[in-house]
Amino acid sequence: MYKRAFKLVRTEIRMLFPAYILTFAVTVLLGLFSITFLKELINTLAGYQNHFNGGVSVDILFVFLSPCLSIVFLSSPYLSLKTLKEDPFGKRIALFRTMPVPIKVLTKSRMLLMLITLLILSTTFYTTIVIGIRDIYHLVFTTQQLVSFLLFWFGFSLTIGGLNVYIESGTNGKMLYIFSFLYSLTIVSFIIVFNLNTKNSVVEKVAEWTQQYDWMPSVVMIIIGLLSYNIWGIILQKRLSKRDYL
């Protein structure tokens, strides 16, 4: 089953290769942009400045954008309004069904594609960050704590990533845009309210948890991410088995 699923994933990666390259490049830029805010956060936690001023900005980069590392966000379905009408993800599923591809294999391929994309883009994003803060992170983090901090956000991305797969393959083009709008509105509103009420950013709070509890926050988030990955896979399989794409 996994062998057939991987063959589908390999075919799609080849088809999406230009979009992967462009998404990869933008991910590097996002990582470079994050470095400035993380350096400011490190200086704040180290006591070199009184207040972290980039709270909302760094939260948007991590809380809002890091789940997008589970998708090829610069592929045509996310850049064209034609998606509303043409439903490219639905058509792709219909094509695989005509081969035919068993529902279990199709589901595994969707989840595996998301996981591979997340691994590639997250490694790119966080490696860029580590290179940028390599001379300063030791002021507040040990190397183990820095790894734990980054793994927390990987687990967070994995948690949302399964939902992204369901929206792409289990719904339609209209729902993809509706979900994107609702997700953006919800997360940005949460970030603003959290920063205003606590006078801290979410990223700053996670950094403090990592300093205090070492591996515990990242382990908990990775477990949540893995559970979410499997749960959304089960839900997607049931959805695909009931929906007629032909």
Side-chain angles (χ1 to χ4, degrees), residues 55 78 135 178 213 230:
Y78 288 94
D135 296 330
I178 292 172
Y213 301 111
N230 286 283

Side-chain angles (χ1 to χ4, degrees), residues 3-20:
K3 186 176 181 180
R4 293 187 66 184
F6 184 75
K7 285 183 178 179
L8 286 179
V9 171
R10 185 171 57 186
T11 299
E12 287 193 72
I13 290 177
R14 288 174 179 173
M15 293 171 53
L16 293 170
F17 189 71
Y20 264 100

Side-chain angles (χ1 to χ4, degrees), residues 35-36 66 77 131 145 193 200 209 243:
I35 290 170
T36 300
S66 63
I131 292 173
Q145 288 173 337
V193 171
N200 284 317
W209 289 344
R243 185 176 180 185

Side-chain angles (χ1 to χ4, degrees), residues 104-242:
K104 287 186 178 180
V105 173
L106 189 55
T107 303
K108 295 294 184 184
S109 71
R110 301 304 89 202
M111 302 304 294
L112 187 58
L113 179 61
M114 181 276 288
L115 184 58
I116 291 174
T117 301
L118 178 59
L119 286 170
I120 292 172
L121 296 183
S122 291
T123 300
T124 301
F125 183 65
Y126 298 126
T127 299
T128 303
I129 288 174
V130 170
I131 292 173
I133 65 172
R134 66 187 183 280
D135 296 330
I136 193 175
Y137 78 84
H138 65 275
L139 294 175
V140 294
F141 290 136
T142 64
T143 300
Q144 291 83 357
Q145 288 173 337
L146 177 62
V147 172
S148 177
F149 174 76
L150 298 179
L151 283 176
F152 178 95
W153 294 108
F154 177 84
F156 176 71
S157 299
L158 183 60
T159 301
I160 307 298
L163 174 58
N164 289 337
V165 177
Y166 179 80
I167 297 299
E168 285 183 354
S169 302
T171 59
N172 54 46
K174 291 181 181 179
M175 188 60 198
L176 181 66
Y177 268 82
I178 292 172
F179 170 74
S180 298
F181 172 76
L182 292 177
Y183 170 79
S184 301
L185 181 64
T186 301
I187 297 299
V188 172
S189 297
F190 168 76
I191 288 171
I192 293 173
V193 171
F194 186 90
N195 276 261
L196 289 175
N197 287 342
T198 66
K199 306 303 180 183
N200 284 317
S201 74
V202 178
V203 175
E204 184 176 1
K205 185 59 65 176
V206 172
E208 291 173 353
W209 289 344
T210 303
Q211 286 180 308
Q212 189 172 1
Y213 301 111
D214 289 326
W215 291 104
M216 186 180 296
S218 61
V219 169
V220 170
M221 186 54 70
I222 290 291
I223 291 173
I224 292 173
L226 291 173
L227 289 173
S228 174
Y229 177 87
N230 286 283
I231 290 171
W232 281 113
I234 293 170
I235 294 173
L236 178 60
Q237 182 173 316
K238 290 181 178 180
R239 172 61 175 165
L240 294 180
S241 65
K242 294 179 180 179

